[in-house]
Amino acid sequence: TAVKTSPSFLQLGRSTGLAKSVSRRGQAIQFLRQEAHARSSTKLAHLAVLLSSESANPFGKVLGEIEKMQETIVAEGKADKKKFDWCAAERVKSKESKSEKETQIGSFKAELLELKGTLTGPVDGLEATLVKAEEDLKENEEDQEKETADRKKENKEYQKNIANLQNAQGLVDKALSVLK
């Protein structure tokens, strides 16, 4: 007859486990040191130092440090999320601003073309108008010089004529006085 046995939680023996514990502890310390070196992590190196210390309950300290690291990671995660959100908002603003600036550039280019047409138009452009005005001014100055010369000539003739008339008036006055 077969006897059915069920699993039991009965402690059958006791071992100090000191050698096993030390070797596991040593493995953990070695692993933490390797990872600290590979990742250049001062936090992991600090954790390895705490674990290697010969205090009464090194795992209590280690667990405390792990909790601190987890809190630090959560806090850094929140800060990173805040920075990420800020960067995303800034990118949106930057894209909007860029779009506005590109629209302004387009309108400024159109306005510039219009102003160039106003400036360089062959018939009614400002440059053509300026050239025409300079030609008219030069012609006006030449006409003015000619008119001034003509007036001076006419004035000389007028002065001669007046002098002749005054002489004639003087002669007429003498002749009248002789006749009287």
Side-chain angles (χ1 to χ4, degrees):
T1 61
V3 175
K4 191 173 182 181
T5 61
S6 61
S8 141
F9 293 105
L10 179 64
Q11 181 177 351
L12 299 175
R14 180 174 181 235
S15 105
T16 58
L18 187 58
K20 244 184 195 179
S21 173
V22 169
S23 77
R24 285 186 186 161
R25 186 176 188 181
Q27 289 174 350
I29 292 169
Q30 184 180 1
F31 175 76
L32 287 172
R33 285 180 179 157
Q34 288 173 349
E35 288 299 310
H37 181 69
R39 298 175 187 220
S40 299
S41 171
T42 58
K43 291 181 180 182
L44 288 176
H46 180 67
L47 188 60
V49 168
L50 287 176
L51 186 59
S52 66
S53 71
E54 293 297 325
S55 64
N57 186 3
F59 289 107
K61 286 185 179 178
V62 169
L63 292 175
E65 289 298 316
I66 289 173
E67 285 179 17
K68 286 180 187 176
M69 283 184 188
Q70 287 175 337
E71 290 171 1
T72 302
I73 289 170
V74 168
E76 287 175 353
K78 288 179 182 177
D80 288 345
K81 173 72 171 136
K82 185 178 178 181
K83 286 180 184 176
F84 176 80
D85 292 343
W86 179 82
C87 286
E90 286 299 312
R91 272 184 277 161
V92 167
K93 287 180 189 176
S94 179
K95 285 180 183 178
E96 290 172 357
S97 176
K98 181 183 176 191
S99 176
E100 289 174 12
K101 300 297 182 207
E102 287 172 346
T103 301
Q104 285 180 339
I105 287 172
S107 67
F108 288 152
K109 284 183 178 179
E111 190 175 336
L112 181 63
L113 286 174
E114 182 180 327
L115 290 174
K116 279 184 180 178
T118 301
L119 184 63
T120 60
V123 176
D124 61 348
L126 295 176
E127 289 176 346
T129 304
L130 179 61
V131 168
K132 176 75 170 122
E134 287 173 346
E135 289 171 358
D136 290 348
L137 180 63
K138 187 175 180 181
E139 184 180 325
N140 189 0
E141 287 174 347
E142 289 171 357
D143 288 345
Q144 190 176 12
E145 287 175 11
K146 182 182 172 199
E147 290 293 324
T148 301
D150 288 347
R151 285 191 186 129
K152 283 183 181 179
K153 183 179 172 186
E154 289 174 358
N155 190 14
K156 268 187 179 179
E157 290 176 12
Y158 173 76
Q159 293 300 329
K160 278 185 191 178
N161 194 16
I162 291 290
N164 286 341
L165 287 175
Q166 286 176 347
N167 282 339
Q169 179 72 34
L171 291 175
V172 169
D173 285 342
K174 280 185 186 179
L176 280 175
S177 68
V178 170
L179 289 175
K180 276 195 192 186

